[in-house]
């Protein structure tokens, strides 16, 4: 059976999705608090930058893949307005339930679907914009997921991938200390789970770097792919168009 990576471990491909599910089942309750603590609130600025690059307009249709607790979906819903449509989707029911509840608490009843990004339950050319924030890294077959996202985007639409990436080399040592020392410690203190946050640090190291992901998006059929480094490459926003 083909193998893939789960953090630094090698696991049978068929096991990866279940292991990733375990991580997000475990962290769902404390997910938003941990995001703020781990990034010092910076994830909000990264997401705001992604929204600013979305080019999304009132009345458009948007799909947020691996949308989790709904940060992007909420901001996108404000952009498309009452005439537009934003779908919040994720493979994990615990994350999705939190996302749906957070949106409802803010008076937003968006359509929600539990689905795997590798098999999206939408017809071809449905959306003006597809977003995926901090989700692609966890997918078993990233090429298949990118191809699915390409399939559901209309001509003239675009994909935004916000994801951890390769940090500027002079900062790599300090970033390693933070990722492998502080993150699991914080995970244990706040979420009672060091392992999931060790997986986070490891999965970031295994994720394709900026140029590799750009090539993968081009191979999946996206045009004029480019990217922006954020926080010295700790995170990158990749953008691809569909002509
Ligand atoms: N997008 C949200 C954000 O930026 O806060 C959540 C990101 S969270 C780190 C990663 C999400 O990816 C989790 O909710 C997880 O369930 C989801 N995910 C992992 N594999 C997936 C897949 N194959 N299809 C859809 N969602 C997936």
């Amino acid at each position: 059976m083909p193998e893939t990576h789960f953090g630094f471990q090698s696991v049978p491909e068929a096991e990866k999705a279940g292991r990733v599910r375990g991580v997000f089942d475990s962290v769902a309750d404390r997910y938003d608090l941990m995001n703020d603590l781990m990034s010092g609130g910076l994830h909000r600025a990264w997401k705001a930058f992604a929204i600013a690059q979305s080019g999304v307009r009132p009345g458009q249709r948007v799909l947020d893949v691996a949308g989790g607790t709904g940060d992007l979906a909420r901001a996108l819903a404000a952009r498309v307005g009452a005439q537009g449509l934003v779908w919040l989707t994720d493979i994990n029911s615990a994350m999705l339930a939190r996302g749906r509840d957070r949106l409802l608490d803010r008076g937003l009843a968006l359509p929600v679907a539990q689905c795997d990004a590798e098999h999206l339950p939408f017809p071809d050319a449905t959306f003006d914009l597809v977003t995926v924030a901090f989700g692609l890294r966890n997918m078993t077959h990233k090429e298949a997921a990118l191809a699915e996202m390409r399939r559901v985007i209309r001509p003239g639409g675009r994909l935004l991938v916000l994801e951890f990436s390769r940090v500027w080399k002079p900062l790599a040592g300090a970033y390693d200390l933070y990722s492998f020392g502080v993150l699991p410690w914080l995970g244990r203190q706040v979420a009672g789970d060091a392992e999931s946050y060790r997986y986070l640090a490891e999965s970031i190291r295994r994720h394709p770097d900026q140029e590799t992901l750009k090539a993968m998006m081009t191979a999946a059929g996206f045009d004029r792919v480019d990217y922006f480094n954020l926080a010295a490459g700790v995170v990158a926003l990749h953008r691809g168009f569909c002509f």
Side-chain angles (χ1 to χ4, degrees):
M1 179 177 293
E3 298 250 316
T4 188
H5 49 82
F6 173 76
F8 288 166
Q9 298 173 45
S10 198
V11 298
E13 273 190 2
E15 273 181 27
K16 175 160 172 165
R19 297 239 192 163
V20 169
R21 187 183 326 118
V23 167
F24 289 101
D25 280 346
S26 163
V27 304
D29 281 351
R30 293 296 174 103
Y31 178 79
D32 298 300
L33 173 63
M34 279 298 289
N35 265 358
D36 278 332
L37 292 175
M38 287 186 305
S39 71
L42 270 178
H43 75 104
R44 295 167 185 261
W46 298 330
K47 288 169 179 165
F49 182 75
I51 300 294
Q53 294 301 322
S54 70
V56 80
R57 294 190 302 276
Q60 290 194 319
R61 300 165 75 93
V62 179
L63 171 66
D64 187 26
V65 170
T69 57
D71 281 350
L72 281 190
R74 175 158 48 106
L76 289 163
R79 289 279 182 124
V80 302
Q83 304 308 315
L85 180 70
V86 178
W87 275 89
L88 172 66
T89 66
D90 198 285
I91 201 171
N92 185 290
S93 60
M95 292 291 284
L96 210 47
R98 257 197 93 76
R100 183 202 53 209
D101 291 351
R102 284 177 85 217
L103 292 171
L104 286 173
D105 286 348
R106 289 166 174 82
L108 276 173
L110 304 186
V112 171
Q114 185 178 359
C115 59
D116 185 345
E118 297 180 22
H119 308 280
L120 292 172
F122 300 99
D124 296 356
T126 303
F127 297 101
D128 300 291
L129 171 70
V130 172
T131 54
V132 55
F134 306 109
L136 187 66
R137 188 182 76 248
N138 302 294
M139 295 171 193
T140 308
H141 305 101
K142 297 174 183 56
E143 286 85 357
L146 289 171
E148 273 294 87
M149 296 181 215
R150 175 69 189 81
R151 181 182 66 73
V152 300
I153 298 177
R154 288 178 176 162
R158 68 179 80 177
L159 169 70
L160 293 176
V161 182
L162 186 64
E163 188 52 272
F164 293 105
S165 200
R166 204 63 79 245
V167 72
W168 186 46
K169 227 179 177 133
L171 296 181
Y175 185 52
D176 278 352
L177 277 178
Y178 177 74
S179 311
F180 293 105
V182 178
L183 289 188
W185 177 84
L186 205 56
R188 185 178 306 110
Q189 302 304 315
V190 177
D193 177 358
E195 274 316 302
S196 292
Y197 289 90
R198 206 180 318 281
Y199 162 74
L200 167 67
E202 293 179 1
S203 65
I204 291 170
R205 300 312 185 283
R206 299 303 303 258
H207 189 65
D209 64 15
Q210 286 87 336
E211 285 296 323
T212 308
L213 179 55
K214 179 179 172 179
M216 287 167 68
M217 287 174 63
T218 303
F222 291 95
D223 301 294
R224 273 179 40 206
V225 178
D226 60 1
Y227 61 83
F228 305 86
N229 281 317
L230 305 173
V234 167
V235 165
L237 177 71
H238 282 70
R239 183 173 63 167
F241 296 86
C242 302
F243 296 147

